[in-house]
Amino acid sequence: MSQAEVRDALPERTLPRRNPLWTLALFRSELGIVFRRWRTVALLGVLAVVPVLIGIAVKIETSDGGTVGESERGDGLAFLSQVTNNGIFLVFASLAAVLPVFLPMAISVVSGDSIAGEASGGTLRYLLVAPAGRNRLLLAKFTAVLAFCLAATLVVATTALAVGAILFPVGDVTLISGTPVSFAEALGRAVAVAGVVTLSLVGLAAVGLFISTLSGSGIAAMAATVGLLISVQIVDAIPQLHVVHPYLFTHYWLSFADLLRDPVHWDEVVKNLGLQGAYLAVFGSAAWARFTSRDITA
């Protein structure tokens, strides 16, 4: 009797059943691993403090009728100059403040530790014994990192919105292009800005995941990802290297400011999202190739 005939002859209750939600269970497990770590909580706490400090600093500086620095470049300085007029601009100022350093460093720590941390802790081999397989485990790890990207961005944005509403007036908003819009529309643009900021971190998350597959030490992978991030930012700040700037994943990070113009300037926003997609394709594929062919010894 063939194996298929034997299988068909078995009572239905003895046949193995696969829960269609088992992949979601794996994802939930990875989310729990990421967000239950004290390090993750500390990173989110530090990010939440930044909008509070910025709001208090602006309030103190303008308490005697003074003003903060103004800029026409559409960066954090332009947002700071508008905070006293409308508290919602604290959201944009805070995101512009954390995006170059604090937010990407937090992403570097979480993504760099995603695979290497399991290897250094001796749990990676046992994870691969589960029926998830390497492909699904890698996907769950990366999805958990993206969830952290979203959570970190929302922590900054929501904290800044609350602090801005407490310390400064809110109401109709004048965009950086000079066009007045309702508070509801400005809030919608703030949500769009948070979405773009989250997607701007996808390239870094993919790079960190790839580095994590190369190392058996979580600390080494985190340090390497942070070091690469700093190096890319230094290169992006050197005018003589302008030829390579459009290919750096950090170059268009502040393009979200163009969402606060009327009409919206989409050119750099689209370039940013396309560049992040390219980094995801290249380094995501490299991470998959490395992880699926790696000899797991720990």
Side-chain angles (χ1 to χ4, degrees):
M1 183 179 293
S2 67
Q3 291 183 354
E5 291 173 334
V6 171
R7 182 180 178 87
D8 291 339
L10 290 174
E12 184 178 357
R13 58 185 176 85
T14 65
L15 296 178
R17 295 179 181 273
R18 174 167 292 183
N19 185 350
L21 299 179
W22 69 278
T23 52
L24 292 179
L26 177 62
F27 173 60
R28 289 196 300 268
S29 174
E30 290 302 325
L31 282 182
I33 292 174
V34 171
F35 286 97
R36 282 199 302 264
R37 288 173 175 162
W38 67 266
R39 179 177 60 236
T40 302
V41 176
L43 290 172
L44 293 176
V46 170
L47 291 173
V49 169
V50 174
V52 178
L53 296 179
I54 295 176
I56 293 175
V58 173
K59 187 68 174 179
I60 293 174
E61 186 174 353
T62 58
S63 59
D64 58 353
T67 59
V68 293
E70 296 185 358
S71 172
E72 297 179 353
R73 295 176 298 173
D75 57 9
L77 290 177
F79 299 139
L80 281 176
S81 66
Q82 297 292 330
V83 169
T84 53
N85 297 325
N86 199 305
I88 197 172
F89 274 95
L90 186 60
V91 175
F92 312 129
S94 299
L95 288 174
V98 301
L99 190 51
V101 180
F102 298 105
L103 192 54
M105 288 190 69
I107 304 305
S108 298
V109 169
V110 174
S111 62
D113 188 55
S114 56
I115 300 295
E118 300 284 3
S120 61
T123 56
L124 185 57
R125 175 185 293 179
Y126 299 102
L127 283 174
L128 295 178
V129 173
R134 299 194 182 199
N135 293 337
R136 293 183 178 88
L137 178 60
L138 185 67
L139 180 60
K141 290 285 186 182
F142 184 64
T143 306
V145 174
L146 294 184
F148 176 79
C149 294
L150 177 60
T153 303
L154 291 180
V155 163
V156 175
T158 54
T159 304
L161 183 61
V163 173
I166 294 172
L167 298 181
F168 307 101
V170 292
D172 292 345
V173 177
T174 301
L175 301 178
I176 59 178
S177 58
T179 305
V181 298
S182 66
F183 181 77
E185 180 178 342
L187 196 58
R189 294 195 182 218
V191 173
V193 165
V196 169
V197 170
T198 300
L199 293 175
S200 297
L201 299 168
V202 169
L204 175 60
V207 171
L209 184 72
F210 171 63
I211 293 176
S212 187
T213 63
L214 299 176
S215 175
S217 169
I219 295 177
M222 289 186 286
T225 307
V226 172
L228 177 64
L229 169 66
I230 295 174
S231 300
V232 170
Q233 289 177 319
I234 292 175
V235 172
D236 199 20
I238 300 177
Q240 291 79 4
L241 300 178
H242 64 91
V243 175
V244 300
H245 288 174
Y247 305 100
L248 303 177
F249 58 81
T250 62
H251 186 64
Y252 297 108
W253 272 356
L254 293 179
S255 63
F256 71 81
D258 289 338
L259 296 176
L260 302 177
R261 304 181 188 276
D262 189 28
V264 175
H265 296 178
W266 290 105
D267 290 348
E268 292 200 351
V269 175
V270 172
K271 289 179 181 178
N272 178 31
L273 298 182
L275 186 63
Q276 303 306 321
Y279 271 84
L280 172 59
V282 172
F283 287 94
S285 299
W288 172 82
R290 168 60 179 168
F291 188 62
T292 55
S293 61
R294 177 179 173 180
D295 183 19
I296 304 299
T297 59

